[in-house]
mmCIF file of all heavy atoms in Angstrom:
data_model
loop_
_atom_site.group_PDB
_atom_site.id
_atom_site.type_symbol
_atom_site.label_atom_id
_atom_site.label_comp_id
_atom_site.label_asym_id
_atom_site.label_seq_id
_atom_site.Cartn_x
_atom_site.Cartn_y
_atom_site.Cartn_z
ATOM 1 N N ALA W 246 -94.165 -4.604 15.669
ATOM 2 C CA ALA W 246 -94.085 -5.294 16.957
ATOM 3 C C ALA W 246 -95.328 -6.147 17.185
ATOM 4 O O ALA W 246 -96.338 -6.007 16.485
ATOM 5 C CB ALA W 246 -93.935 -4.273 18.084
ATOM 6 N N LYS W 247 -95.255 -7.012 18.184
ATOM 7 C CA LYS W 247 -96.376 -7.869 18.547
ATOM 8 C C LYS W 247 -97.017 -7.373 19.842
ATOM 9 O O LYS W 247 -96.309 -7.043 20.789
ATOM 10 C CB LYS W 247 -95.918 -9.321 18.711
ATOM 11 C CG LYS W 247 -95.390 -9.943 17.416
ATOM 12 C CD LYS W 247 -95.056 -11.391 17.606
ATOM 13 C CE LYS W 247 -94.486 -12.003 16.330
ATOM 14 N NZ LYS W 247 -95.403 -11.902 15.186
ATOM 15 N N VAL W 248 -98.336 -7.330 19.865
ATOM 16 C CA VAL W 248 -99.074 -6.978 21.070
ATOM 17 C C VAL W 248 -99.173 -8.212 21.960
ATOM 18 O O VAL W 248 -99.585 -9.291 21.508
ATOM 19 C CB VAL W 248 -100.484 -6.454 20.736
ATOM 20 C CG1 VAL W 248 -101.271 -6.197 22.026
ATOM 21 C CG2 VAL W 248 -100.404 -5.190 19.899
ATOM 22 N N VAL W 249 -98.776 -8.046 23.221
ATOM 23 C CA VAL W 249 -98.707 -9.163 24.165
ATOM 24 C C VAL W 249 -99.563 -8.841 25.389
ATOM 25 O O VAL W 249 -99.416 -7.773 25.992
ATOM 26 C CB VAL W 249 -97.251 -9.410 24.629
ATOM 27 C CG1 VAL W 249 -97.179 -10.594 25.588
ATOM 28 C CG2 VAL W 249 -96.328 -9.619 23.440
ATOM 29 N N THR W 250 -100.430 -9.779 25.766
ATOM 30 C CA THR W 250 -101.205 -9.598 26.993
ATOM 31 C C THR W 250 -101.627 -10.957 27.515
ATOM 32 O O THR W 250 -101.372 -11.996 26.907
ATOM 33 C CB THR W 250 -102.418 -8.673 26.757
ATOM 34 O OG1 THR W 250 -102.899 -8.198 28.010
ATOM 35 C CG2 THR W 250 -103.530 -9.388 26.009
ATOM 36 N N GLY W 251 -102.278 -10.957 28.689
ATOM 37 C CA GLY W 251 -102.756 -12.197 29.269
ATOM 38 C C GLY W 251 -104.020 -12.700 28.589
ATOM 39 O O GLY W 251 -104.785 -11.933 27.995
ATOM 40 N N LYS W 252 -104.244 -14.010 28.709
ATOM 41 C CA LYS W 252 -105.380 -14.659 28.051
ATOM 42 C C LYS W 252 -106.707 -14.007 28.428
ATOM 43 O O LYS W 252 -107.569 -13.808 27.568
ATOM 44 C CB LYS W 252 -105.394 -16.143 28.435
ATOM 45 C CG LYS W 252 -106.550 -16.919 27.858
ATOM 46 C CD LYS W 252 -106.493 -18.383 28.234
ATOM 47 C CE LYS W 252 -106.790 -18.599 29.696
ATOM 48 N NZ LYS W 252 -106.872 -20.045 30.033
ATOM 49 N N ASN W 253 -106.867 -13.671 29.684
ATOM 50 C CA ASN W 253 -108.150 -13.138 30.139
ATOM 51 C C ASN W 253 -108.322 -11.645 29.851
ATOM 52 O O ASN W 253 -109.388 -11.084 30.139
ATOM 53 C CB ASN W 253 -108.324 -13.396 31.633
ATOM 54 C CG ASN W 253 -108.490 -14.866 31.928
ATOM 55 O OD1 ASN W 253 -109.447 -15.490 31.474
ATOM 56 N ND2 ASN W 253 -107.557 -15.454 32.651
ATOM 57 N N ASN W 254 -107.288 -11.029 29.309
ATOM 58 C CA ASN W 254 -107.388 -9.609 28.960
ATOM 59 C C ASN W 254 -107.716 -9.378 27.496
ATOM 60 O O ASN W 254 -108.151 -8.296 27.131
ATOM 61 C CB ASN W 254 -106.089 -8.876 29.307
ATOM 62 C CG ASN W 254 -106.232 -7.369 29.210
ATOM 63 O OD1 ASN W 254 -107.127 -6.792 29.826
ATOM 64 N ND2 ASN W 254 -105.380 -6.728 28.428
ATOM 65 N N ASP W 255 -107.524 -10.387 26.661
ATOM 66 C CA ASP W 255 -107.643 -10.160 25.224
ATOM 67 C C ASP W 255 -109.021 -9.644 24.832
ATOM 68 O O ASP W 255 -109.154 -8.796 23.943
ATOM 69 C CB ASP W 255 -107.322 -11.452 24.463
ATOM 70 C CG ASP W 255 -107.068 -11.219 22.984
ATOM 71 O OD1 ASP W 255 -106.480 -10.175 22.632
ATOM 72 O OD2 ASP W 255 -107.468 -12.072 22.176
ATOM 73 N N ARG W 256 -110.073 -10.093 25.515
ATOM 74 C CA ARG W 256 -111.423 -9.649 25.145
ATOM 75 C C ARG W 256 -111.646 -8.166 25.413
ATOM 76 O O ARG W 256 -112.478 -7.527 24.770
ATOM 77 C CB ARG W 256 -112.480 -10.481 25.864
ATOM 78 C CG ARG W 256 -112.536 -10.295 27.367
ATOM 79 C CD ARG W 256 -113.431 -11.339 28.029
ATOM 80 N NE ARG W 256 -113.502 -11.168 29.474
ATOM 81 C CZ ARG W 256 -114.580 -10.752 30.123
ATOM 82 N NH1 ARG W 256 -115.685 -10.434 29.449
ATOM 83 N NH2 ARG W 256 -114.578 -10.640 31.428
ATOM 84 N N PHE W 257 -110.900 -7.582 26.354
ATOM 85 C CA PHE W 257 -111.028 -6.153 26.636
ATOM 86 C C PHE W 257 -110.576 -5.313 25.441
ATOM 87 O O PHE W 257 -111.004 -4.169 25.287
ATOM 88 C CB PHE W 257 -110.186 -5.774 27.855
ATOM 89 C CG PHE W 257 -110.778 -6.186 29.174
ATOM 90 C CD1 PHE W 257 -110.749 -7.507 29.581
ATOM 91 C CD2 PHE W 257 -111.365 -5.249 30.017
ATOM 92 C CE1 PHE W 257 -111.291 -7.902 30.797
ATOM 93 C CE2 PHE W 257 -111.912 -5.627 31.230
ATOM 94 C CZ PHE W 257 -111.883 -6.955 31.624
ATOM 95 N N LEU W 258 -109.706 -5.851 24.611
ATOM 96 C CA LEU W 258 -109.152 -5.105 23.495
ATOM 97 C C LEU W 258 -110.153 -4.924 22.359
ATOM 98 O O LEU W 258 -109.928 -4.109 21.464
ATOM 99 C CB LEU W 258 -107.887 -5.800 22.966
ATOM 100 C CG LEU W 258 -106.846 -6.187 24.023
ATOM 101 C CD1 LEU W 258 -105.626 -6.796 23.358
ATOM 102 C CD2 LEU W 258 -106.467 -5.011 24.903
ATOM 103 N N SER W 259 -111.240 -5.664 22.412
ATOM 104 C CA SER W 259 -112.252 -5.553 21.361
ATOM 105 C C SER W 259 -113.627 -5.191 21.903
ATOM 106 O O SER W 259 -114.590 -5.127 21.136
ATOM 107 C CB SER W 259 -112.342 -6.873 20.580
ATOM 108 O OG SER W 259 -112.660 -7.946 21.442
ATOM 109 N N ASP W 260 -113.742 -4.936 23.199
ATOM 110 C CA ASP W 260 -115.034 -4.627 23.817
ATOM 111 C C ASP W 260 -115.015 -3.189 24.328
ATOM 112 O O ASP W 260 -114.380 -2.885 25.342
ATOM 113 C CB ASP W 260 -115.303 -5.602 24.965
ATOM 114 C CG ASP W 260 -116.713 -5.496 25.518
ATOM 115 O OD1 ASP W 260 -117.221 -4.360 25.657
ATOM 116 O OD2 ASP W 260 -117.305 -6.536 25.851
ATOM 117 N N VAL W 261 -115.730 -2.307 23.639
ATOM 118 C CA VAL W 261 -115.672 -0.875 23.967
ATOM 119 C C VAL W 261 -116.349 -0.550 25.291
ATOM 120 O O VAL W 261 -116.136 0.523 25.850
ATOM 121 C CB VAL W 261 -116.289 -0.025 22.838
ATOM 122 C CG1 VAL W 261 -115.475 -0.169 21.561
ATOM 123 C CG2 VAL W 261 -117.755 -0.386 22.598
ATOM 124 N N TYR W 262 -117.159 -1.465 25.784
ATOM 125 C CA TYR W 262 -117.786 -1.253 27.091
ATOM 126 C C TYR W 262 -116.818 -1.647 28.209
ATOM 127 O O TYR W 262 -116.662 -0.925 29.201
ATOM 128 C CB TYR W 262 -119.090 -2.035 27.196
ATOM 129 C CG TYR W 262 -120.140 -1.520 26.257
ATOM 130 C CD1 TYR W 262 -120.318 -2.097 24.999
ATOM 131 C CD2 TYR W 262 -120.940 -0.426 26.597
ATOM 132 C CE1 TYR W 262 -121.263 -1.605 24.122
ATOM 133 C CE2 TYR W 262 -121.889 0.072 25.722
ATOM 134 C CZ TYR W 262 -122.048 -0.524 24.483
ATOM 135 O OH TYR W 262 -122.986 -0.026 23.600
ATOM 136 N N LEU W 263 -116.142 -2.772 28.061
ATOM 137 C CA LEU W 263 -115.179 -3.208 29.070
ATOM 138 C C LEU W 263 -113.974 -2.279 29.147
ATOM 139 O O LEU W 263 -113.457 -2.003 30.236
ATOM 140 C CB LEU W 263 -114.718 -4.636 28.791
ATOM 141 C CG LEU W 263 -115.690 -5.763 29.129
ATOM 142 C CD1 LEU W 263 -115.114 -7.101 28.696
ATOM 143 C CD2 LEU W 263 -116.016 -5.773 30.614
ATOM 144 N N ASN W 264 -113.493 -1.813 27.996
ATOM 145 C CA ASN W 264 -112.272 -0.989 28.028
ATOM 146 C C ASN W 264 -112.542 0.494 28.291
ATOM 147 O O ASN W 264 -111.601 1.274 28.461
ATOM 148 C CB ASN W 264 -111.421 -1.186 26.770
ATOM 149 C CG ASN W 264 -112.088 -0.754 25.479
ATOM 150 O OD1 ASN W 264 -112.775 0.263 25.422
ATOM 151 N ND2 ASN W 264 -111.875 -1.545 24.418
ATOM 152 N N GLY W 265 -113.816 0.879 28.332
ATOM 153 C CA GLY W 265 -114.162 2.238 28.729
ATOM 154 C C GLY W 265 -114.183 3.263 27.623
ATOM 155 O O GLY W 265 -114.521 4.431 27.876
ATOM 156 N N THR W 266 -113.849 2.878 26.402
ATOM 157 C CA THR W 266 -113.831 3.875 25.326
ATOM 158 C C THR W 266 -115.240 4.364 24.993
ATOM 159 O O THR W 266 -115.427 5.536 24.658
ATOM 160 C CB THR W 266 -113.156 3.324 24.065
ATOM 161 O OG1 THR W 266 -113.768 2.079 23.694
ATOM 162 C CG2 THR W 266 -111.669 3.090 24.307
ATOM 163 N N LYS W 267 -116.224 3.493 25.083
ATOM 164 C CA LYS W 267 -117.608 3.897 24.824
ATOM 165 C C LYS W 267 -118.065 4.907 25.872
ATOM 166 O O LYS W 267 -118.638 5.954 25.536
ATOM 167 C CB LYS W 267 -118.517 2.673 24.842
ATOM 168 C CG LYS W 267 -119.984 2.967 24.540
ATOM 169 C CD LYS W 267 -120.188 3.283 23.083
ATOM 170 C CE LYS W 267 -121.664 3.351 22.751
ATOM 171 N NZ LYS W 267 -121.894 3.684 21.328
ATOM 172 N N ARG W 268 -117.790 4.619 27.123
ATOM 173 C CA ARG W 268 -118.214 5.486 28.225
ATOM 174 C C ARG W 268 -117.618 6.880 28.113
ATOM 175 O O ARG W 268 -118.274 7.879 28.415
ATOM 176 C CB ARG W 268 -117.794 4.844 29.543
ATOM 177 C CG ARG W 268 -118.080 5.676 30.789
ATOM 178 C CD ARG W 268 -117.515 4.984 32.015
ATOM 179 N NE ARG W 268 -117.743 5.757 33.222
ATOM 180 C CZ ARG W 268 -117.208 5.460 34.396
ATOM 181 N NH1 ARG W 268 -116.432 4.408 34.520
ATOM 182 N NH2 ARG W 268 -117.453 6.214 35.440
ATOM 183 N N HIS W 269 -116.378 6.958 27.642
ATOM 184 C CA HIS W 269 -115.686 8.247 27.574
ATOM 185 C C HIS W 269 -115.740 8.879 26.185
ATOM 186 O O HIS W 269 -115.110 9.924 25.968
ATOM 187 C CB HIS W 269 -114.236 8.077 28.029
ATOM 188 C CG HIS W 269 -114.111 7.751 29.489
ATOM 189 N ND1 HIS W 269 -114.152 8.716 30.473
ATOM 190 C CD2 HIS W 269 -113.979 6.567 30.129
ATOM 191 C CE1 HIS W 269 -114.026 8.143 31.656
ATOM 192 N NE2 HIS W 269 -113.925 6.840 31.486
ATOM 193 N N GLY W 270 -116.471 8.276 25.273
ATOM 194 C CA GLY W 270 -116.628 8.845 23.940
ATOM 195 C C GLY W 270 -115.336 8.931 23.153
ATOM 196 O O GLY W 270 -115.126 9.884 22.387
ATOM 197 N N LEU W 271 -114.475 7.925 23.294
ATOM 198 C CA LEU W 271 -113.173 7.944 22.641
ATOM 199 C C LEU W 271 -113.197 7.145 21.341
ATOM 200 O O LEU W 271 -113.805 6.071 21.282
ATOM 201 C CB LEU W 271 -112.108 7.349 23.571
ATOM 202 C CG LEU W 271 -111.886 8.074 24.895
ATOM 203 C CD1 LEU W 271 -110.971 7.260 25.793
ATOM 204 C CD2 LEU W 271 -111.302 9.462 24.651
ATOM 205 N N PRO W 272 -112.539 7.644 20.308
ATOM 206 C CA PRO W 272 -112.440 6.850 19.077
ATOM 207 C C PRO W 272 -111.567 5.624 19.332
ATOM 208 O O PRO W 272 -110.519 5.714 19.981
ATOM 209 C CB PRO W 272 -111.772 7.812 18.088
ATOM 210 C CG PRO W 272 -111.017 8.780 18.950
ATOM 211 C CD PRO W 272 -111.820 8.930 20.215
ATOM 212 N N PHE W 273 -111.995 4.472 18.854
ATOM 213 C CA PHE W 273 -111.254 3.247 19.147
ATOM 214 C C PHE W 273 -111.594 2.193 18.110
ATOM 215 O O PHE W 273 -112.766 1.954 17.815
ATOM 216 C CB PHE W 273 -111.609 2.739 20.549
ATOM 217 C CG PHE W 273 -110.873 1.492 20.953
ATOM 218 C CD1 PHE W 273 -109.544 1.547 21.333
ATOM 219 C CD2 PHE W 273 -111.520 0.264 20.953
ATOM 220 C CE1 PHE W 273 -108.857 0.395 21.697
ATOM 221 C CE2 PHE W 273 -110.841 -0.896 21.317
ATOM 222 C CZ PHE W 273 -109.516 -0.822 21.701
ATOM 223 N N VAL W 274 -110.573 1.564 17.571
ATOM 224 C CA VAL W 274 -110.750 0.448 16.644
ATOM 225 C C VAL W 274 -110.379 -0.836 17.387
ATOM 226 O O VAL W 274 -109.227 -0.989 17.811
ATOM 227 C CB VAL W 274 -109.872 0.612 15.388
ATOM 228 C CG1 VAL W 274 -110.036 -0.592 14.471
ATOM 229 C CG2 VAL W 274 -110.233 1.895 14.649
ATOM 230 N N PRO W 275 -111.329 -1.742 17.587
ATOM 231 C CA PRO W 275 -111.028 -2.980 18.316
ATOM 232 C C PRO W 275 -109.903 -3.776 17.656
ATOM 233 O O PRO W 275 -109.733 -3.759 16.435
ATOM 234 C CB PRO W 275 -112.357 -3.746 18.254
ATOM 235 C CG PRO W 275 -113.396 -2.690 18.086
ATOM 236 C CD PRO W 275 -112.754 -1.645 17.218
ATOM 237 N N PHE W 276 -109.135 -4.476 18.465
ATOM 238 C CA PHE W 276 -108.038 -5.293 17.962
ATOM 239 C C PHE W 276 -107.857 -6.488 18.882
ATOM 240 O O PHE W 276 -108.521 -6.603 19.920
ATOM 241 C CB PHE W 276 -106.746 -4.477 17.844
ATOM 242 C CG PHE W 276 -106.194 -3.968 19.152
ATOM 243 C CD1 PHE W 276 -105.148 -4.613 19.791
ATOM 244 C CD2 PHE W 276 -106.718 -2.816 19.757
ATOM 245 C CE1 PHE W 276 -104.634 -4.139 20.992
ATOM 246 C CE2 PHE W 276 -106.207 -2.334 20.950
ATOM 247 C CZ PHE W 276 -105.163 -2.998 21.565
ATOM 248 N N SER W 277 -106.964 -7.381 18.507
ATOM 249 C CA SER W 277 -106.653 -8.550 19.323
ATOM 250 C C SER W 277 -105.150 -8.618 19.534
ATOM 251 O O SER W 277 -104.366 -8.099 18.724
ATOM 252 C CB SER W 277 -107.121 -9.841 18.641
ATOM 253 O OG SER W 277 -108.532 -9.862 18.540
ATOM 254 N N ALA W 278 -104.747 -9.274 20.601
ATOM 255 C CA ALA W 278 -103.320 -9.457 20.870
ATOM 256 C C ALA W 278 -102.718 -10.464 19.892
ATOM 257 O O ALA W 278 -103.401 -11.382 19.421
ATOM 258 C CB ALA W 278 -103.113 -9.933 22.304
ATOM 259 N N ASP W 279 -101.446 -10.305 19.612
ATOM 260 C CA ASP W 279 -100.715 -11.265 18.781
ATOM 261 C C ASP W 279 -100.220 -12.438 19.610
ATOM 262 O O ASP W 279 -100.116 -13.563 19.106
ATOM 263 C CB ASP W 279 -99.526 -10.575 18.110
ATOM 264 C CG ASP W 279 -99.938 -9.420 17.236
ATOM 265 O OD1 ASP W 279 -100.618 -9.671 16.223
ATOM 266 O OD2 ASP W 279 -99.614 -8.265 17.576
ATOM 267 N N ILE W 280 -99.889 -12.167 20.863
ATOM 268 C CA ILE W 280 -99.410 -13.202 21.781
ATOM 269 C C ILE W 280 -100.252 -13.128 23.043
ATOM 270 O O ILE W 280 -100.338 -12.073 23.678
ATOM 271 C CB ILE W 280 -97.915 -13.010 22.121
ATOM 272 C CG1 ILE W 280 -97.062 -13.097 20.846
ATOM 273 C CG2 ILE W 280 -97.459 -14.038 23.154
ATOM 274 C CD1 ILE W 280 -95.602 -12.754 21.070
ATOM 275 N N VAL W 281 -100.877 -14.240 23.401
ATOM 276 C CA VAL W 281 -101.743 -14.313 24.571
ATOM 277 C C VAL W 281 -101.100 -15.257 25.586
ATOM 278 O O VAL W 281 -100.856 -16.424 25.282
ATOM 279 C CB VAL W 281 -103.156 -14.798 24.181
ATOM 280 C CG1 VAL W 281 -104.029 -14.942 25.410
ATOM 281 C CG2 VAL W 281 -103.785 -13.818 23.191
ATOM 282 N N LEU W 282 -100.818 -14.730 26.772
ATOM 283 C CA LEU W 282 -100.034 -15.452 27.766
ATOM 284 C C LEU W 282 -100.904 -16.138 28.807
ATOM 285 O O LEU W 282 -101.920 -15.599 29.246
ATOM 286 C CB LEU W 282 -99.079 -14.494 28.475
ATOM 287 C CG LEU W 282 -98.083 -13.741 27.592
ATOM 288 C CD1 LEU W 282 -97.355 -12.691 28.423
ATOM 289 C CD2 LEU W 282 -97.085 -14.708 26.956
ATOM 290 N N GLU W 283 -100.454 -17.293 29.244
ATOM 291 C CA GLU W 283 -101.040 -17.985 30.381
ATOM 292 C C GLU W 283 -100.366 -17.493 31.665
ATOM 293 O O GLU W 283 -99.239 -16.978 31.632
ATOM 294 C CB GLU W 283 -100.841 -19.497 30.254
ATOM 295 C CG GLU W 283 -101.487 -20.131 29.033
ATOM 296 C CD GLU W 283 -102.985 -20.298 29.190
ATOM 297 O OE1 GLU W 283 -103.498 -20.128 30.317
ATOM 298 O OE2 GLU W 283 -103.642 -20.601 28.170
ATOM 299 N N ASP W 284 -101.037 -17.668 32.777
ATOM 300 C CA ASP W 284 -100.454 -17.330 34.069
ATOM 301 C C ASP W 284 -99.133 -18.063 34.265
ATOM 302 O O ASP W 284 -99.045 -19.273 34.057
ATOM 303 C CB ASP W 284 -101.434 -17.719 35.180
ATOM 304 C CG ASP W 284 -100.897 -17.414 36.562
ATOM 305 O OD1 ASP W 284 -100.300 -16.336 36.754
ATOM 306 O OD2 ASP W 284 -101.087 -18.260 37.466
#
Side-chain angles (χ1 to χ4, degrees):
K247 296 184 182 301
V248 176
V249 181
T250 198
K252 178 178 71 174
N253 292 298
N254 191 54
D255 195 36
R256 67 190 180 110
F257 284 75
L258 311 183
S259 58
D260 189 319
V261 296
Y262 293 95
L263 284 176
N264 63 40
T266 53
K267 182 73 171 179
R268 176 185 179 189
H269 292 278
L271 299 171
F273 181 76
V274 178
F276 64 100
S277 295
D279 301 295
I280 299 173
V281 177
L282 302 172
E283 299 283 349
D284 179 42

